[in-house]
Amino acid sequence: MWDNMLVSLVLGLVIGYIAWVLKWKVNKGEKGLPYRLPPGSMGYPIVGETFHFFKPNNSFGVPPFIHERKQRYGSVFKTSIVGRTVVVCTEAEDNNFIFQQEGRLFRSWYPESFTQVFGEQNVGSLHGYMYKYLRNMVLTLVGPEPLKQNFLPQIHQNILSETAHWNHSVLDIKEASASIIFDFTAKKLISYDPSTDGGLRRNFEAFIQGLISFPLDIPGTAYHRCLKGRSRAMDKLKKMLAKRRENPHLENADFFDHLISELNKQGTLLTEDIALDLIFVLLFASFETTSLAVTLALKFVTENPKALKELQEEHEAILARKEDKESELTWTEYKSMRFTSNVINETIRLANIVPGMFRKAMKDVQIGGYSIPAGWTVMVCPTAMHLDPFVFPDPVSFNPWRWQDAEDSNSIIAKHYSPFGGGIRFCVGTDFTKLYLSVFLHCLVTRYTWKAVKGGEILRTPGLSFPNGYHVHFHSKPGHPNLS
Ligand SMILES: *[C@@H]1O[C@H](CO)[C@@H](O)[C@H](O)[C@H]1NC(C)=O
Ligand SMILES: *[C@@H]1O[C@H](CO)[C@@H](O)[C@H](O)[C@H]1NC(C)=O
Ligand SMILES: *[C@@H]1O[C@H](CO)[C@@H](O)[C@H](O)[C@H]1NC(C)=O
């Protein structure tokens, strides 16, 4: 019976594939003109070019998958990944257009594998009113005002005390920063206390590799571990939410309490599932992307002594200007960190943590002279923009000074820089990540000198990871400020 089912399944898929190829070969556009579909290869039936796409690589360059096809077909091409036709856009102008058309010609879209991991109701899959509603809720937490009023002093205190005893120790900075950030955000979001209930973070581990990896759910694959982690973490969160609904915090309300009060409102839009998916995404996004950015920034400045020296000078100067050396960083001081901001822009340009962002065409649309039929998936590929040698000469080298004259939002660099997506979906966590990274660098360079001792190699599958971590040996600077 299984054999029969398998045969009919394969037959069905093959027939479906042929019908689908024929459909696009003969289909006509709206005004009776033939579609001019983007060029590109659909690879093998069903698997398409999936294996090429997921092939691991350890360089900071444009992923070979994109690079080779761009050379062959031009800046817009089609391919087939995990059974789905995807049009890849690599040109800044097209990408910015797609971002700006969010909700009109395009809407954000995630692969099924993504929705399985983040839940049907995750923020990325919601649109229109519901999306705005959740976005506003998140902004009350990490918007500009709370960042200024609450986060800056709290992050500073937290990093100072967490890094106070790093003298003479060797740490994997990826692991150490992930743990510090996770504990901090989990405390803010759900009053999580790692000492009484350890192990929540473990469920998020190896997550980014699994998330942007081949979505094959069988034991042993990164994707399988990722799903397992998700279900354990969701179980924990669900129990915590249930407990909290019985015993709300009256004082020191956290994001859980905020969600619960929304859940209890008459005619609320929020459901428990949406709330849990939201907490899950926020926990994951904050610590994983931020700890990767911290590790990359540290790696880049460690490997570039001139940049490290300039960074140290900037932060020593901030300390030197303070009357009370032990006082907290102020918003004005944060805003004065110009070189740090260049270092961060350059780190994020090179990091390209995600290979692409997906959108779905809502109508037939023209991009770069080609037709994209309604319903097709488009992958916006910031990597190709960020590593464009005409905009960023010597694109894979770390050069924070290239940002010095780039502040003008009309500059060519600004037009080619959209690491967090653009338009209304501009990542809500951007300011948090930048703030966190700046404060982290401030604390490290004013307190410590260090040497890299092991690791630091990156791997893209195509999600970015540090397979061997990044191990660093720290030494206290004499007379460093000690607030802890
Ligand atoms: C990784 O990509 C670079 C180009 O970006 C290429 O030269 C190199 O051969 C690739 N390595 C592997 C292992 O595919
Ligand atoms: C840091 O550790 C080294 C070696 O243990 C020690 O000699 C030095 O005094 C320590 N510095 C500070 C500021 O504690
Ligand atoms: C860094 O990039 C942001 C855009 O994300 C821009 O607003 C800022 O001006 C850039 N910083 C510098 C120093 O160019």
Side-chain angles (χ1 to χ4, degrees):
M1 186 189 102
W2 284 108
D3 284 356
N4 279 339
M5 273 177 70
L6 200 65
V7 169
S8 31
L9 185 70
V10 170
L11 261 180
L13 286 173
V14 170
I15 291 169
Y17 180 76
I18 293 169
W20 164 88
V21 169
L22 286 177
K23 183 168 165 230
W24 290 119
K25 284 248 154 85
V26 299
N27 216 341
K28 301 280 186 222
E30 263 173 9
K31 298 188 186 83
L33 296 169
Y35 276 126
R36 190 167 163 247
L37 296 175
S41 155
M42 304 307 261
Y44 302 107
I46 301 156
V47 295
E49 302 193 296
T50 303
F51 293 109
H52 296 106
F53 181 73
F54 286 110
K55 188 169 171 227
N57 191 289
N58 54 10
S59 89
F60 279 103
V62 177
F65 179 86
I66 306 285
H67 183 72
E68 286 159 17
R69 282 160 187 75
K70 192 178 172 188
Q71 296 267 312
R72 202 174 314 152
Y73 303 117
S75 66
V76 178
F77 58 85
K78 67 174 185 304
T79 175
S80 164
I81 304 171
V82 200
R84 181 169 280 279
T85 307
V86 177
V87 175
V88 180
C89 293
T90 58
E91 207 62 52
E93 212 172 303
D94 297 336
N95 289 348
N96 291 334
F97 172 75
I98 294 169
F99 285 141
Q100 297 312 326
Q101 287 297 322
E102 174 71 30
R104 292 187 286 269
L105 294 177
F106 293 95
R107 70 183 347 184
S108 86
W109 177 87
Y110 290 89
E112 287 79 10
S113 60
F114 227 81
T115 6
Q116 271 188 30
V117 175
F118 278 130
E120 296 290 333
Q121 309 270 29
N122 79 80
V123 205
S125 302
L126 298 170
H127 302 279
Y129 185 73
M130 196 62 204
Y131 173 75
K132 281 189 201 131
Y133 169 74
L134 288 189
R135 184 187 158 96
N136 286 338
M137 206 140 68
V138 175
L139 282 176
T140 62
L141 185 77
V142 293
E145 271 314 300
L147 276 188
K148 208 163 161 174
Q149 305 298 341
N150 309 328
F151 273 92
L152 175 58
Q154 289 172 6
I155 289 174
H156 189 207
Q157 273 304 328
N158 184 256
I159 296 175
L160 278 179
S161 70
E162 294 288 341
T163 61
H165 306 293
W166 283 11
N167 182 28
H168 217 63
S169 45
V170 175
L171 291 158
D172 173 2
I173 201 75
K174 171 69 180 69
E175 171 64 26
S177 62
S179 142
I180 297 173
I181 299 164
F182 185 85
D183 290 351
F184 177 80
T185 48
K187 184 149 196 297
K188 292 285 287 186
L189 286 170
I190 57 178
S191 305
Y192 175 69
D193 180 359
S195 63
T196 58
D197 177 24
L200 183 58
R201 185 169 72 89
R202 295 277 158 240
N203 299 313
F204 286 89
E205 261 168 21
F207 212 76
I208 197 137
Q209 292 103 294
L211 192 59
I212 315 175
S213 67
F214 188 71
L216 184 62
D217 182 15
I218 54 171
T221 62
Y223 184 65
H224 182 75
R225 283 196 294 278
C226 182
L227 285 181
K228 268 266 159 32
R230 150 123 187 144
S231 83
R232 284 199 209 104
M234 285 307 275
D235 278 350
K236 276 205 168 133
L237 290 175
K238 208 174 250 169
K239 283 192 192 118
M240 289 163 96
L241 182 65
K243 227 185 204 167
R244 186 69 68 81
R245 285 192 96 158
E246 281 166 23
N247 290 306
H249 285 180
L250 299 176
E251 278 164 42
N252 296 324
D254 58 16
F255 200 56
F256 248 167
D257 297 301
H258 187 73
L259 289 173
I260 289 167
S261 78
E262 286 288 323
L263 282 170
N264 292 341
K265 274 186 189 159
Q266 200 88 47
T268 182
L269 286 171
L270 195 64
T271 66
E272 204 161 277
D273 285 341
I274 297 181
L276 287 169
D277 281 346
L278 181 63
I279 292 273
F280 182 83
V281 165
L282 289 175
L283 277 175
F284 168 70
S286 56
F287 96 98
E288 182 61 41
T289 53
T290 310
S291 66
L292 274 175
V294 163
T295 312
L296 284 158
L298 205 70
K299 172 185 160 73
F300 289 138
V301 296
T302 307
E303 291 170 0
N304 191 321
K306 187 163 164 254
L308 181 56
K309 182 158 174 287
E310 193 161 337
L311 195 63
Q312 276 162 342
E313 283 163 5
E314 178 165 273
H315 290 280
E316 294 293 355
I318 290 174
L319 280 191
R321 279 195 299 269
K322 274 182 175 309
E323 282 187 10
D324 174 5
K325 304 285 173 224
E326 316 233 310
S327 65
E328 279 161 4
L329 272 174
T330 65
W331 192 255
T332 318
E333 283 163 347
Y334 167 56
K335 284 292 171 189
S336 76
M337 302 174 180
R338 299 182 63 109
F339 186 69
T340 308
S341 144
N342 295 346
V343 165
I344 292 174
N345 278 6
E346 183 69 350
T347 299
I348 292 170
R349 178 185 74 84
L350 279 170
N352 288 309
I353 290 169
V354 291
M357 293 165 229
F358 291 102
R359 295 290 188 271
K360 191 173 211 144
M362 293 162 76
K363 301 191 178 117
D364 293 355
V365 51
Q366 295 280 324
I367 293 281
Y370 296 106
S371 310
I372 299 178
W376 276 32
T377 304
V378 173
M379 184 170 102
V380 177
C381 184
T383 322
M385 288 156 62
H386 293 166
L387 299 172
D388 183 337
F390 295 104
V391 183
F392 302 101
D394 196 2
V396 289
S397 76
F398 177 78
N399 176 6
W401 297 277
R402 67 169 102 231
W403 294 92
Q404 264 162 0
D405 307 312
E407 306 234 318
D408 177 6
S409 61
N410 282 318
S411 72
I412 176 151
I413 284 194
K415 285 209 171 72
H416 284 77
Y417 186 61
S418 59
F420 305 103
I424 59 166
R425 287 207 170 240
F426 191 79
C427 171
V428 287
T430 309
D431 292 341
F432 172 82
T433 302
K434 289 192 166 169
L435 178 70
Y436 198 94
L437 205 44
S438 305
V439 179
F440 203 92
L441 289 172
H442 175 79
C443 294
L444 280 197
V445 301
T446 52
R447 279 185 154 180
Y448 295 107
T449 59
W450 61 83
K451 265 202 175 61
V453 291
K454 205 174 102 203
E457 307 83 20
I458 62 155
L459 187 69
R460 293 174 186 280
T461 56
L464 183 86
S465 62
F466 282 88
N468 307 315
Y470 186 47
H471 301 258
V472 175
H473 193 170
F474 289 94
H475 295 278
S476 288
K477 282 181 163 182
H480 72 87
N482 200 343
L483 277 182
S484 60

